[in-house]
Amino acid sequence: MDLQLQDRVAIVTGGGMGIGKEVARFLSQEGCKVVICARRLEFLRAAAEEISAETGNEVLPLFCDTNNMSAVSEMVAQAQAHFGRIDILVNGAAAPSGVVRNDIEFAGDDELLSDMNTKVIGYFRCAKAVTPHMKAQGFGRIINIGGLTGRGSKVLSGMRNLAIAHMTKTLSDQLGPSGITVNLIHPGVVDTPHIQELYEREGVKQGKTPQQVEQAYIDATPIRRTLQPIEMGWLIGFLASPKAGAVTGESIGIDGGLTRGIFI
């Protein structure tokens, strides 16, 4: 399928590694000019060089701390000045498992606020900064990366993903008349360096090896495997396409069937 992304301009926050990097790779493969941004410029530069060499399309690495509105506005201004337009925003800059500890006796309010500030308000800042550019051209795609913890009650950090679902729906109402769609994906167990660290931590807690922890997740997943980061890119690529213009305000699980709830 031709996703009609040739020469579109995409910003991917948290694009230096993991899911964000693979999203940037797929968008570049589809012909997008991609801006990747995060706080660690050395990772961004390496990722930009790798992806650009592979796809032949320009990938621009830009420093950005999404905790700061001025920094976000500056990054978006640089992207606009360099490429002349902004069509797609993929919000993914956040601590993968959050920084707040789960048990309320040990959970710190500062850490909880940090989780919310980075992932919820950070996504808001980026959406706010790109909205005028998208409105001016009558087209835009905003895709937020959430997490399955927003659909359950196991961890306190899941409240940030639930908040993103609300923000996604609200923004889709506001921006739809301007040709801008806003959607949210909830990745399941994705094979990244972060998830390997999770297996190790859970193994210590449960008295199991990391391999046993991983196998337990696989056994609980109907497709009986973990997911690859590029699979997040495939879904995001479709949502970023003009062909997904009728899909907006949705929260989509991409988890191999791991979620047991029924969402209507």
Side-chain angles (χ1 to χ4, degrees):
M1 179 186 293
D2 178 9
L3 294 178
Q4 300 174 344
L5 292 175
Q6 187 69 38
D7 294 326
R8 297 284 187 183
V9 177
I11 295 174
V12 181
T13 72
M17 61 179 64
I19 291 174
K21 180 180 176 182
E22 295 309 309
V23 169
R25 188 191 307 277
F26 182 67
L27 292 175
S28 185
Q29 288 171 348
E30 290 295 309
C32 283
K33 300 169 184 176
V34 182
V35 177
I36 55 173
C37 57
R39 289 181 291 189
R40 290 185 284 186
L41 198 51
E42 67 274 18
F43 288 101
L44 290 173
R45 286 172 175 158
E49 290 177 7
E50 176 188 328
I51 296 170
S52 183
E54 176 187 314
T55 67
N57 291 315
E58 184 176 5
V59 180
L60 177 67
L62 292 177
F63 169 86
C64 184
D65 180 357
T66 59
N67 286 318
N68 184 291
M69 189 69 221
S70 295
V72 170
S73 297
E74 175 61 21
M75 178 272 293
V76 170
Q78 287 180 288
Q80 173 73 24
H82 189 84
F83 286 123
R85 60 186 294 124
I86 298 169
D87 300 289
I88 301 157
L89 168 66
V90 181
N91 272 319
S97 293
V99 297
V100 65
R101 296 181 65 178
N102 195 42
D103 295 334
I104 193 166
E105 294 92 342
F106 305 106
D109 59 336
D110 287 340
E111 288 76 17
L112 185 59
L113 284 168
S114 177
D115 272 344
M116 299 293 284
N117 185 34
T118 300
K119 195 163 189 180
V120 182
I121 311 305
Y123 284 16
F124 166 83
R125 293 183 185 104
C126 293
K128 180 179 177 68
V130 301
T131 290
H133 302 287
M134 293 180 176
K135 278 188 171 182
Q137 64 201 22
F139 176 91
R141 298 285 185 266
I142 298 174
I143 302 102
N144 299 316
I145 300 176
L148 288 183
T149 57
R151 289 184 166 179
S153 56
K154 290 185 177 181
V155 294
L156 282 172
S157 63
M159 68 175 71
R160 61 187 184 156
N161 294 319
L162 184 58
I164 293 167
H166 183 280
M167 180 174 67
T168 296
K169 188 62 175 176
T170 302
L171 292 183
S172 74
D173 289 345
Q174 292 185 13
L175 301 180
S178 298
I180 304 168
T181 66
V182 190
N183 289 290
L184 168 63
I185 73 162
H186 290 307
V189 182
V190 183
D191 191 10
T192 64
H194 151 69
I195 207 68
Q196 299 301 325
E197 295 169 3
L198 174 65
Y199 296 153
E200 293 174 6
R201 291 197 305 271
E202 286 298 309
V204 171
K205 290 179 184 178
Q206 300 175 26
K208 298 179 180 179
T209 66
Q211 292 76 21
Q212 288 173 321
V213 174
E214 180 180 18
Q215 189 59 51
Y217 280 116
I218 292 172
D219 291 343
T221 303
I223 64 171
R224 294 298 189 268
R225 65 175 177 84
T226 55
L227 306 176
Q228 295 303 308
I230 192 63
E231 293 180 279
M232 309 302 111
W234 295 338
L235 175 57
I236 287 173
F238 173 70
L239 293 173
S241 166
K243 294 187 174 180
V247 182
T248 192
E250 294 298 325
S251 298
I252 304 170
I254 176 167
D255 61 0
L258 183 62
T259 303
R260 289 298 185 268
I262 298 172
F263 302 91
I264 59 173

